[in-house]
């Protein structure tokens, strides 16, 4: 049976180049980078080389890159750090959007318990915040703006450059969760004008459990992880050497092939969306233009997402859904609700996310198998029966 | 999703799926807002469920439990069908993940709803026999699972 991995927004396969680069640091070069002898120096050099590569990909200074355990830690550090730093100056207001990743939203929940106030910007039907609404929300006591670069479910890209300008004008710290953007689309920290940016390696064919934060020079957030003097005393813990090496190789490769790959992915994406929109009562979620090249997110009225995923799995396809039944939670995805979908429609969502490993043949196969699956599930759905009767 | 082979079999090849034109008892439970609706059709003759079918909007477990529930009551007496529990449905499917137990409860409820409808059509008040069941509530909020 054909096998298609179409869940690259969840995670990606570790690339061969990254694995090869990592292997020596998992075997022969096991020295602690803090040690003085040559085995330790070898490890230290690998870590600093990885830092240089990542800084270059983001147009940052290597001193502005700190390694850590992944996107969630980067978000936690950026948000808690900026909040606690600003609280000393009496600033306890934070602005975010309604459809951030839970690494951001749940971090904000814990800050709210400490007395911070949070404003959630609307993301509208197209899944994009409006800069003027951000500017209107900024107050004297606004400590931080945290808005994601690209959404992990519907792939919509936010106007980060305009957000950066507004934050600069009002002297507010700007953090962007760029976990879905880095490696997928061009990310230039100088152009964006952000102060903090979160990165996770496993979204661009690097290893899991490793990431980085960009922290603009001159901004010194209080530490999240205290301990040894690693990462200039800003983030303790013996370095994940193989991890950061793998991340740097994967990112460098992603950036090198980006233009060509994205031209190909956009064509595939648009063909798939156009093909799936031919299905009766199907909708595309999020802006069609300002979206990640590899993201397709659709809803099919009258069916439930988990049964759709299982049917796809039986046909060899790995995908994801924002239905409540998939997550075991009560409500469907907060992202789909944030763009205004009613609950019953949001339950019928499907996310297909692609990387350089996917091909036009994958799209052919998906367009061949998805319509009959939708028809089959609808034929046994009492909800679909009602939708048809009421129309 | 860690489903048993039996669950996957009933999901991929559901038994007794569709409408039953000559049903004399139809019950519907669940709610679209929560992502699950189960509709059961039964045909009773001489106190025996001679035919049964279902339609389900919901997850894989919801489809599999509906399918299994129809198999378990087909050819049984109404009294036996009334005794069918969600636990029996789950056991017949070799178990369900903990977050999916409520889907099997829905299957039990759907059968009870169909039986209630059958009694009502016979001019019999179902409540003393079947007990109270949560009727289908299209606008119910915050009551999922
Ligand atoms: C937008 C976004 N932020 C944060 C994360 C968390 O990253 P990690 O899994 O590396 O902790 C993810 C991915 O899961 C994500 O998509
Ligand atoms: S129908 Fe939602 S979890 Fe089963």
């Amino acid at each position: 049976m054909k096998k298609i991995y179409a869940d690259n927004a969840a995670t990606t396969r570790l690339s061969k180049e990254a694995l090869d680069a990592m292997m020596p640091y998992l075997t022969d070069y096991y020295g602690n980078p803090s040690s003085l002898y040559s085995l330790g120096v070898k490890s230290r050099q690998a870590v600093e080389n990885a830092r240089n590569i990542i800084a270059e990909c983001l147009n940052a200074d290597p001193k502005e890159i700190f390694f850590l355990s992944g996107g969630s830690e980067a978000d936690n550090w950026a948000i808690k750090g900026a909040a606690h730093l600003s609280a000393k100056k009496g600033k306890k207001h934070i602005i975010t959007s309604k459809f951030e990743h839970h690494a951001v939203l749940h971090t904000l929940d814990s800050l709210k318990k400490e007395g911070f106030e949070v404003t959630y910007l609307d993301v509208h039907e197209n899944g994009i915040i409006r800069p003027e609404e951000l500017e209107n929300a900024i107050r004297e006591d606004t400590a931080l703006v945290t808005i994601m670069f690209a959404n992990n479910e519907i792939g919509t890209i936010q106007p980060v450059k305009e957000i950066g300008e507004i934050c600069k004008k009002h002297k507010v710290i700007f953090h962007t969760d760029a976990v879905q953007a880095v490696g997928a689309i061009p990310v230039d920290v100088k152009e964006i004008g952000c102060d903090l940016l979160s990165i996770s390696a496993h979204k661009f064919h690097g290893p899991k459990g490793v990431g980085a934060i960009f922290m603009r020079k001159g901004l010194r957030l209080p530490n999240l992880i205290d301990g040894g003097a690693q990462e200039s005393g800003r983030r303790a813990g013996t370095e994940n050497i193989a991890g950061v090496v793998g991340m740097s190789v994967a990112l460098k490769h992603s950036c090198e092939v980006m233009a060509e790959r994205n031209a190909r992915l956009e064509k595939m994406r648009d063909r798939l969306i156009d093909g799936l929109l031919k299905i009766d009562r199907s909708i595309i979620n999020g802006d069609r233009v300002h979206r990640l090249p590899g993201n397709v997110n659709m809803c099919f009225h009258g069916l439930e997402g988990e049964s759709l995923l299982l049917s796809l799995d039986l046909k060899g396809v790995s995908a994801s859904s924002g239905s409540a039944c998939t997550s075991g939670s009560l409500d469907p995805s907060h992202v789909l609700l944030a763009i205004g979908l009613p609950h019953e429609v949001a339950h019928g969502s499907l996310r297909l996310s692609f990387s350089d490993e996917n091909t036009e043949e994958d799209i052919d196969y998906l367009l061949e198998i998805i319509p009959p699956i939708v028809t089959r599930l609808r034929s046994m759905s009492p909800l679909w029966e009602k939708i048809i009767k009421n129309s | 999703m860690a489903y048993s082979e039996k669950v996957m079999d009933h999901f991929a090849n559901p038994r007794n799926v569709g409408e039953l034109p000559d049903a004399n008892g139809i019950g519907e439970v669940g709610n679209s807002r929560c992502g699950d609706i189960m509709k059961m059709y039964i045909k009773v003759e001489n106190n025996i469920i001679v035919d049964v079918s279902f339609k389900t909007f919901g997850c894989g477990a919801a489809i599999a439990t509906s399918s299994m529930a129809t198999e378990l009551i087909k050819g049984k007496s109404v009294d036996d069908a009334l005794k069918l529990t969600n636990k029996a449905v789950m056991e017949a499917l070799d178990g369900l993940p903990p977050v999916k137990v409520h889907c099997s409860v829905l299957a039990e409820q759907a059968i009870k709803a169909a039986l209630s409808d059958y009694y009502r059509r016979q001019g019999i008040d179902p409540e003393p026999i079947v007990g109270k069941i949560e009727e289908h509530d299209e606008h119910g909020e915050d009551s999922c699972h």
Side-chain angles (χ1 to χ4, degrees), chain A residues 76-138:
Chain A
N76 269 265
W77 190 10
I79 294 167
K80 287 177 181 160
H84 292 144
L85 185 72
S86 307
K88 288 186 203 151
K89 299 178 210 145
K91 294 185 172 184
K92 298 193 81 171
H93 175 237
I94 300 168
I95 302 169
T96 189
S97 79
K98 285 184 181 161
F99 73 168
E100 296 295 312
H101 191 270
H102 285 133
V104 169
L105 291 179
H106 291 166
T107 300
L108 291 171
D109 286 345
S110 89
L111 285 173
K112 281 199 280 191
K113 289 193 194 112
E114 292 177 26
F116 287 87
E117 202 188 320
V118 180
T119 299
Y120 299 89
L121 296 180
D122 204 343
V123 293
H124 305 277
E125 213 180 313
N126 64 349
I128 297 176
I129 68 118
R130 301 204 177 137
E132 64 272 20
E133 291 179 359
L134 166 65
E135 189 149 26
N136 289 338
I138 292 180

Side-chain angles (χ1 to χ4, degrees), chain A residues 302-304 306-308 310-311 313-314 324-332 343-344 347-348 376-386 389, chain B residues 1 3 8 11-14 17-19 28 32-39 41 54-61 63 99-100 136 138 144-145:
Chain A
L303 57 77
E304 189 284 318
E306 194 214 79
S307 53
L308 183 55
L310 282 179
S311 306
D313 188 34
L314 289 170
C325 305
T326 4
S327 61
S329 73
L330 300 185
D331 286 316
H343 278 64
E344 55 268 36
H347 284 299
R376 179 182 107 91
L377 292 173
R378 281 176 171 174
S379 75
M380 58 169 106
S381 163
L383 179 60
W384 179 248
E385 188 184 312
K386 270 179 212 149
K389 211 176 281 167
Chain B
M1 192 49 73
Y3 284 137
M8 285 312 291
F11 170 74
N13 313 292
V17 68
E19 284 162 49
E28 186 176 298
S32 62
R33 193 188 147 85
C34 305
D36 40 31
I37 304 178
M38 268 185 209
K39 197 168 177 181
Y41 303 77
F54 78 93
K55 278 184 107 174
T56 290
F57 159 73
C59 71
I63 290 170
V99 293
K100 297 293 180 182
H136 174 72
E138 194 57 55
C144 300
H145 311 341

Side-chain angles (χ1 to χ4, degrees), chain B residues 4-19:
Chain B
S4 71
E5 261 175 53
K6 274 229 176 97
V7 172
M8 285 312 291
D9 176 39
H10 275 263
F11 170 74
N13 313 292
R15 331 292 200 253
N16 311 309
V17 68
E19 284 162 49

Side-chain angles (χ1 to χ4, degrees), chain A residues 125-379:
Chain A
E125 213 180 313
N126 64 349
I128 297 176
I129 68 118
R130 301 204 177 137
E132 64 272 20
E133 291 179 359
L134 166 65
E135 189 149 26
N136 289 338
I138 292 180
R139 318 188 307 210
E140 280 289 300
D141 65 338
T142 303
L144 168 72
V145 168
T146 173
I147 291 172
M148 67 200 324
F149 200 129
N151 183 270
N152 46 302
E153 285 188 38
I154 59 173
T156 50
I157 298 167
Q158 304 305 304
V160 280
K161 209 174 142 199
E162 284 159 274
I163 297 171
E165 278 161 16
I166 291 167
C167 290
K168 198 168 277 169
K169 182 169 143 200
H170 294 274
K171 298 196 174 59
V172 177
I173 298 174
F174 173 32
H175 164 247
T176 185
D177 174 343
V179 166
Q180 291 288 336
V182 171
I185 51 174
V187 174
D188 178 328
V189 292
K190 293 211 170 67
E191 195 185 311
I192 305 161
C194 58
D195 301 293
L196 298 155
L197 180 139
S198 305
I199 302 167
S200 180
H202 72 98
K203 306 289 186 182
F204 48 81
H205 304 286
K208 291 162 185 59
V210 58
I213 190 170
F214 157 81
M215 198 181 294
R216 184 169 297 291
K217 229 179 270 173
L219 179 62
R220 178 144 196 162
L221 300 188
N223 291 354
L224 185 70
I225 308 290
D226 288 310
Q230 294 89 356
E231 299 299 296
S232 315
R234 312 275 288 268
R235 199 281 188 183
T238 301
E239 296 85 343
N240 179 355
I241 305 151
V244 301
V245 167
M247 169 160 67
S248 68
V249 169
L251 183 57
K252 187 159 183 253
H253 179 75
S254 292
C255 295
E256 277 165 5
V257 301
M258 190 178 285
E260 202 185 322
R261 179 200 65 207
N262 286 358
R264 197 170 67 79
L265 283 182
E266 278 170 17
K267 223 173 111 230
M268 285 162 54
R269 173 195 72 190
D270 293 341
R271 184 160 77 89
L272 182 58
I273 293 174
D274 288 335
L276 293 178
L277 280 175
K278 291 200 185 115
I279 296 174
D280 187 20
R281 271 162 252 251
S282 62
I283 52 166
I284 169 82
N285 298 315
D287 199 278
R288 274 205 68 166
V289 179
H290 300 284
R291 79 187 293 134
L292 292 173
N295 177 288
V296 173
N297 192 309
M298 314 268 307
C299 279
F300 305 101
H301 286 237
L303 57 77
E304 189 284 318
E306 194 214 79
S307 53
L308 183 55
L309 294 189
L310 282 179
S311 306
L312 285 169
D313 188 34
L314 289 170
K315 294 273 183 196
V317 175
S318 308
S320 100
S321 167
S323 100
C325 305
T326 4
S327 61
S329 73
L330 300 185
D331 286 316
S333 136
H334 69 286
V335 173
L336 299 177
L337 297 181
I339 59 169
L341 294 184
H343 278 64
E344 55 268 36
V345 177
H347 284 299
S349 74
L350 172 68
R351 179 185 73 182
L352 298 157
S353 47
F354 304 101
S355 77
D356 14 8
E357 298 191 350
N358 295 100
T359 62
E360 289 282 356
E361 286 74 52
D362 293 354
I363 306 298
D364 292 340
Y365 184 68
L366 291 167
L367 285 173
E368 180 191 319
I369 64 162
I370 294 174
I373 290 174
V374 169
T375 304
R376 179 182 107 91
L377 292 173
R378 281 176 171 174
S379 75

Side-chain angles (χ1 to χ4, degrees), chain B:
Chain B
M1 192 49 73
Y3 284 137
S4 71
E5 261 175 53
K6 274 229 176 97
V7 172
M8 285 312 291
D9 176 39
H10 275 263
F11 170 74
N13 313 292
R15 331 292 200 253
N16 311 309
V17 68
E19 284 162 49
L20 202 61
D22 53 350
N24 55 7
I26 300 175
E28 186 176 298
V29 293
N31 141 2
S32 62
R33 193 188 147 85
C34 305
D36 40 31
I37 304 178
M38 268 185 209
K39 197 168 177 181
M40 286 278 173
Y41 303 77
I42 52 170
K43 186 180 170 196
V44 182
E45 271 172 14
N46 303 322
N47 217 38
I48 299 291
I49 297 171
V50 294
D51 209 352
V52 51
S53 74
F54 78 93
K55 278 184 107 174
T56 290
F57 159 73
C59 71
I63 290 170
T65 52
S66 330
S67 165
M68 180 53 91
T70 62
E71 278 216 313
L72 291 173
I73 64 163
K74 197 167 181 173
K76 298 277 162 62
S77 70
V78 167
D79 301 327
D80 281 344
L82 274 172
K83 285 188 215 130
L84 182 79
T85 61
N86 77 300
K87 223 171 141 245
V89 175
M90 283 203 304
E91 274 164 17
L93 286 169
D94 293 338
L96 284 175
V99 293
K100 297 293 180 182
V101 172
H102 71 272
C103 310
S104 67
V105 174
L106 215 56
E108 179 193 316
Q109 296 266 309
I111 287 178
K112 297 221 159 97
L115 289 166
S116 294
D117 182 53
Y118 165 72
Y119 281 121
R120 235 177 269 121
R121 292 191 199 194
Q122 308 298 309
I124 304 166
D125 176 14
E127 229 182 277
I129 310 164
V130 184
K132 231 182 150 54
I133 46 166
E134 284 168 48
E135 284 294 322
H136 174 72
D137 174 11
E138 194 57 55
H139 305 288
E141 302 218 348
D142 308 321
S143 58
C144 300
H145 311 341

